[in-house]
Amino acid sequence: MQKKKIKEILQGKVDDKVTAHGWVRTVRDQKTFTFIEINDGSTLKNLQVVMDGNVPNLATGASLIVHGHLVESPGKNQSVELRASEVHVIGTCDPAKYPLQKKRHSFEYLRTIAHLRPRTNTQGAVMRVRNALSFATHLFFQQRGFLYLQTPVITGSDCEGGGEMFRVSTLEKPTDDPSKDFFGKKTYLTVSGQLEAEIMACALSDVYTFGPTFRAENSNTSRHLAEFWMIEPEMAFADLKSDMKCAEEYLKFCVSYALEHCAEDLEFFDKFIEQGLLVRLQNVVDSPFAHIPYTEAIEILKKAPKTFEFPVNWGTDLQSEHERYLAEEYCKKPVILTDYPASIKAFYMRSNPDGKTVAAMDILVPKIGEIIGGSQREERLDVLEKKIEDFRLNKQDYWWYLELREYGSVPHAGFGLGFERLVLFVTGMENIRDAIAFPRFPGHAEF
Ligand code: 4AD
Ligand code: MG
């Protein structure tokens, strides 16, 4: 017999014989019966188990195997419950010590017990939505003929040029001669798989990566992680317009997939985390994203009936307060900002004819700010060589990137979506440290 998850058991019929596996959420001892709620993470709902008398060591947190049959449930939350014939305590749990004995804990505290927090309703729901969003990602790109490719985690080149890379080394001291290091040169954890994805797109047409990326920026914010997952599609024979179209369709696909397949968890978030979440998400699916060029956005921000902590001027990078104002208050929906000044964007972005801006696009969403960053890539060899010089990068480091522009160069474009920011966007959770099972941020790499 195939092992059934609680999600499936709850859809069973009266008299079905079942075996349930899970962890105890609550135990209520009554004179003749004991009521046990168990959960196995397959659904937010618990399975109610009713047994005669009691078993030793039955306590919150213990793991159980229960045999029995389904009976109609008088409770309003479920139609069936499990009338137990046998209850086996597999792993005991000392109620005097178990940290999750109490019902409600702060998210801050739960982060310190990341080995137990997936047993809470909120973290369980976050993980199920996260799972659905990664499946939706593959569905979306596979249906469109994109190839899923893996790019290296260890790299010798800085894609974003922000100098925010973690060094990878086997040297005794970081100052030792890099030519004596494991790879014979300085290497780092990748900040993005984009440059390698471009190589693949320039042969296989449409590709995407979905992997871990690392940033050593000392950002102690609710939107930054030192290790996060990024989805990076890259398309050959594509310009900024088709890039934006793909990004908007992808975001909408993920949101509608979650609305359809994670209804129970999203209702939970709507009730306990962000009131109005379901309406907000439905609006994302139903209405077209706004489009504003950077230059116009600066004018809007200057005229905003609001004082920002950081002043804005043409040429300054937008802070999260500006991004959120544009998406949350001005547009009241996701907005795509385009044509940023070249000086605040990465070297690989395609120069616009005005000579000052590049064919870049960022998608800003309410509550979060930037969720996607992308661009058309500079495919003209001479222009790219000049940019590498202007950015004071070492041409030798990018010899292969430049050669791509020599042998059958092609207009191409892509973007990167921060997966944990998408999880925040869809669940309404506030802090990115709660959108990944084992968050890494400055001063924190436990578990
Ligand atoms: O805007 P970014 O830096 O763009 C790139 O890395 C490009 N190479 C992507 C591409 O065109 N293929 O990062 C892309 C996205 C951001 O929009 C944001 O959602 C997320 O990655 N992100 C982070 N998420 C969590 N923690 C951080 N420290 C992040 N930095 C960026
Ligand atoms: Mg960006």
Side-chain angles (χ1 to χ4, degrees), residues 160 215 317 323 340 344-345 348-349 361-362 370-374 416 421:
E160 291 306 299
R215 308 243 167 138
D317 207 356
E323 295 176 339
Y340 283 78
I344 59 169
K345 288 292 184 188
Y348 53 71
M349 297 193 182
M361 66 105 176
D362 274 8
E370 181 189 338
I371 192 165
I372 283 180
R421 290 193 187 178

Side-chain angles (χ1 to χ4, degrees), residues 64-80:
L64 299 187
I65 297 180
V66 184
H67 303 286
H69 68 275
L70 296 182
V71 296
E72 204 172 313
S73 173
K76 58 178 171 4
N77 292 327
Q78 66 277 320
S79 57
V80 290

Side-chain angles (χ1 to χ4, degrees), residues 160 192 194 215 217 225 228 230 232 370-371 373 377 416 418:
E160 291 306 299
S192 158
Q194 178 196 320
R215 308 243 167 138
E217 52 196 347
L225 289 166
F228 64 99
M230 187 151 52
E232 295 187 275
E370 181 189 338
I371 192 165
R377 319 307 188 189

Side-chain angles (χ1 to χ4, degrees), residues 25-40:
R25 286 291 178 89
T26 58
V27 183
R28 278 179 300 132
D29 252 322
Q30 293 191 337
K31 273 206 189 75
T32 43
F33 295 116
T34 303
F35 294 91
I36 317 162
E37 303 255 341
I38 63 171
N39 189 286
D40 67 355

